[in-house]
Amino acid sequence: KAGVTQTPRYLIKTRGQQVTLSCSPISGHRSVSWYQQTPGQGLQFLFEYFSETQRNKGNFPGRFSGRQFSNSRSEMNVSTLELGDSALYLCASRSGGVNNEQFFGPGTRLTVL
Amino acid sequence: AQKVTQAQTEISVVEKEDVTLDCVYETRDTTYYLFWYKQPPSGELVFLIRRNSFDEQNEISGRYSWNFQKSTSSFNFTITASQVVDSAVYFCALSEDNTDKLIFGTGTRLQVFP
């Protein structure tokens, strides 16, 4: 079974631009969560989606948004990029009930210049 | 408020030594879940173990073992006979009931030298 895939793996943008990151969960998984990892703040929760509905949102500004499609694939968008948005963005999916273990993708490393 | 503390920033050991990674958590919920993840240099978080708050039974899986103690709010992880391939950053995480939101500790970087 293929794991969680994220595209692109690496991305370089400039301040003020916007970016869209994509995540394909493990086949059959309907829940997708997103996390941001930076050296200063560590791993922080962004969003949680289940069956196209956002169930939970972390403490991030409105520039960060996401969505989930009917095939469970998810995208997150960051508008008006800032230097501090440079990070590794990780996507995770799970099967079964809430609180089951989540399986992470390799991440998208975003660099904002 | 929920919080996970991993006081050990970095640990270095020589191959075949045993090593224990500490994790202390805070939560007001009576139902919660604890996890350990490993992040090798490739960056992908690898799931190791999940425990719920009602299951204090400690477990051994190969060279890995876990010690969950609610009385001290600790969920420690031990690697027996460490190997160079164990070198990675290890994260402890907490989720409260009915949410997938993981609250991570700051991680412990383990370096195993040959």
Side-chain angles (χ1 to χ4, degrees):
Chain A
K1 209 177 211 184
V4 177
T5 57
Q6 292 187 244
T7 56
R9 292 293 311 279
Y10 302 92
L11 205 48
I12 299 175
K13 292 285 188 179
T14 56
R15 275 186 305 172
Q17 287 187 308
Q18 77 161 15
V19 67
T20 299
L21 311 182
S22 181
C23 171
S24 292
I26 294 171
S27 177
H29 288 195
R30 295 167 61 190
S31 168
V32 172
S33 297
W34 288 88
Y35 294 83
Q36 181 198 63
Q37 186 176 25
T38 60
Q41 299 299 317
L43 279 156
Q44 294 187 287
F45 170 79
L46 280 157
F47 329 97
E48 171 192 343
Y49 286 92
F50 182 80
S51 292
E52 301 178 67
T53 300
Q54 187 179 91
R55 286 167 38 98
N56 208 343
K57 187 177 191 300
N59 188 24
F60 279 81
R63 300 186 297 106
F64 291 80
S65 62
R67 58 178 176 168
Q68 186 180 33
F69 301 95
S70 58
N71 61 358
S72 295
R73 190 177 69 85
S74 176
E75 288 181 347
M76 67 163 282
N77 184 276
V78 187
S79 63
T80 320
L81 284 166
E82 300 178 359
L83 296 178
D85 297 333
S86 294
L88 180 66
Y89 290 88
L90 292 161
C91 168
S93 74
R94 65 155 172 84
S95 66
V98 183
N99 297 118
N100 274 1
E101 57 270 23
Q102 296 176 50
F103 296 93
F104 284 79
T108 294
R109 185 163 295 282
L110 171 65
T111 301
V112 182
L113 303 176
Chain B
Q2 321 93 18
K3 186 178 178 182
V4 176
T5 301
Q6 295 180 254
Q8 304 153 308
T9 305
E10 187 162 341
I11 300 175
S12 295
V13 298
V14 177
E15 222 173 5
K16 297 185 184 176
E17 280 187 44
D18 298 348
V19 58
T20 295
L21 308 182
D22 298 334
C23 173
V24 173
Y25 61 91
E26 293 176 32
T27 178
R28 290 188 201 140
D29 274 19
T30 55
T31 302
Y32 53 89
Y33 299 79
L34 296 165
F35 303 80
W36 275 98
Y37 281 88
K38 170 183 177 180
Q39 188 175 42
S42 60
E44 186 170 337
L45 282 166
V46 178
F47 167 76
L48 295 176
I49 190 169
R50 165 187 176 270
R51 272 287 176 270
N52 69 51
S53 52
F54 299 107
D55 180 9
E56 283 194 79
Q57 182 177 351
N58 294 315
E59 180 178 327
I60 297 175
S61 175
R63 296 185 298 109
Y64 298 162
S65 61
W66 292 268
N67 187 345
F68 175 27
Q69 293 194 342
K70 287 177 72 172
S71 60
T72 56
S73 298
S74 65
F75 185 46
N76 298 336
F77 170 48
T78 297
I79 302 174
T80 303
S82 59
Q83 299 176 0
V84 173
V85 292
D86 295 327
S87 297
V89 180
Y90 289 82
F91 290 94
C92 180
L94 163 75
S95 71
E96 295 186 335
D97 195 25
N98 206 33
T99 174
D100 279 337
K101 175 183 177 181
L102 290 172
I103 297 156
F104 285 91
T106 50
T108 298
R109 180 178 299 278
L110 174 64
Q111 294 199 68
V112 182
F113 294 99

